[in-house]
Amino acid sequence: GQQLNQSPQSMFIQEGEDVSMNCTSSSIFNTWLWYKQDPGEGPVLLIALYKAGELTSNGRLTAQFGITRKDSFLNISASIPSDVGIYFCAGQRVRDNNDMRFGAGTRLTVKP
Amino acid sequence: DAGVIQSPRHEVTEMGQEVTLRCKPISGHNSLFWYRQTMMRGLELLIYFNNNVPIDDSGMPEDRFSAKMPNASFSTLKIQPSEPRDSAVYFCASSPTGAGGELFFGEGSRLTVL
């Protein structure tokens, strides 16, 4: 079953608005990652975080690795229609041991 | 460069039939993963291989599911016999050693068991 609690489950926003989603766990994770899945496609990596407290940006996306190692958030600024999709957090308890667990996903809808 | 290639993209079958899903990972990637995605349970890790060897199959639902990786460029996930609750999208992903968690996913195989 799921070990990562991701919220919100879905978001409906207007184009131009900022978006925030987060992921928590009762376990410590040493790697946090954020993926995006477009309809009919597999997930694609957006941002990877490897150190507690790390804040990383990728264009309009910003993600942070929580200090406690039990949470992470993803922000999207100035949303555009192509941001529509499902965003997944993922984590590894041991880096590179390939046991990747995914959150349930946040389904984002952007109204033009 | 070719990504992860999965086949078939869609399969509709009847309960009790055998289903075989196929995956060709990205050349040079040492790890291969099978995930199942449903609305209720999200993305579930079924099994993963390192250098063609199964490392963790604890996510495989039951004995009806089996996975093989006979060589570095091919893997199969088999369901025999299939049941309606197996209906889902099955993803294969591959990763190079030391990728720090970046998985490269295929486009998925959508299975419907009637």
Side-chain angles (χ1 to χ4, degrees), chain A residues 2 35 37 96-98 100, chain B residues 31 33 37 41 48 100-101 103:
Chain A
Q2 299 294 341
Y35 286 78
Q37 184 178 23
D96 286 343
N97 82 337
N98 289 329
M100 181 79 67
Chain B
S31 300
F33 307 76
Q37 186 176 34
R41 299 176 68 86
Y48 72 90
L103 304 184

Side-chain angles (χ1 to χ4, degrees), chain B residues 83-104:
Chain B
E83 297 182 2
R85 61 194 168 117
D86 301 331
S87 298
V89 180
Y90 290 81
F91 285 102
C92 176
S94 69
S95 175
T97 301
E102 180 167 11
L103 304 184
F104 295 79

Side-chain angles (χ1 to χ4, degrees), chain A residues 50 92 95-98, chain B residues 25-33 48-52 55 72 93-104:
Chain A
Y50 301 111
Q92 289 177 318
R95 183 174 172 180
D96 286 343
N97 82 337
N98 289 329
Chain B
I26 294 173
S27 177
H29 284 193
N30 304 85
S31 300
L32 183 141
F33 307 76
Y48 72 90
F49 297 81
N50 278 354
N51 297 314
N52 312 340
I55 301 301
S94 69
S95 175
T97 301
E102 180 167 11
L103 304 184
F104 295 79

Side-chain angles (χ1 to χ4, degrees), chain A residues 2-94:
Chain A
Q2 299 294 341
Q3 296 175 334
L4 302 182
N5 300 307
Q6 187 172 348
S7 64
Q9 287 187 336
S10 61
M11 303 183 72
F12 296 82
I13 62 170
Q14 292 286 344
E15 182 177 359
E17 291 183 355
D18 297 342
V19 173
S20 184
M21 59 192 78
N22 68 81
C23 210
T24 62
S25 173
S26 57
S27 304
I28 289 175
F29 282 78
N30 285 310
T31 302
W32 284 93
L33 306 102
W34 287 91
Y35 286 78
K36 182 192 177 196
Q37 184 178 23
D38 290 325
E41 306 280 338
V44 174
L45 182 67
L46 297 174
I47 292 180
L49 303 157
Y50 301 111
K51 292 167 56 176
E54 180 179 356
L55 183 72
T56 298
S57 293
N58 178 7
R60 294 179 295 105
L61 278 59
T62 302
Q64 184 158 29
F65 190 143
I67 290 290
T68 64
R69 297 179 177 266
K70 294 182 178 181
D71 63 314
S72 177
F73 73 73
L74 174 70
N75 288 341
I76 305 173
S77 62
S79 59
I80 59 178
S82 62
D83 291 333
V84 165
I86 305 176
Y87 292 79
F88 292 98
C89 63
Q92 289 177 318
R93 284 201 289 266
V94 178

Side-chain angles (χ1 to χ4, degrees), chain B residues 6-8 11 13 16-23 32-36 46-47 49 57 59-70 74-83 86 90-92 109 111 113:
Chain B
Q6 290 186 246
S7 64
E11 176 145 354
T13 190
Q17 296 298 306
E18 178 179 296
V19 172
T20 300
L21 308 179
R22 298 173 177 80
C23 176
L32 183 141
F33 307 76
W34 283 100
Y35 283 87
R36 176 172 68 177
L46 300 177
I47 185 172
F49 297 81
D57 65 355
M60 296 285 262
E62 48 197 272
D63 292 345
R64 297 184 297 108
F65 285 69
S66 63
K68 294 182 180 179
M69 191 166 186
F74 184 66
S75 177
T76 59
L77 178 67
K78 186 174 293 187
I79 309 172
Q80 167 62 21
S82 58
E83 297 182 2
D86 301 331
Y90 290 81
F91 285 102
C92 176
S109 294
L111 173 65
V113 183

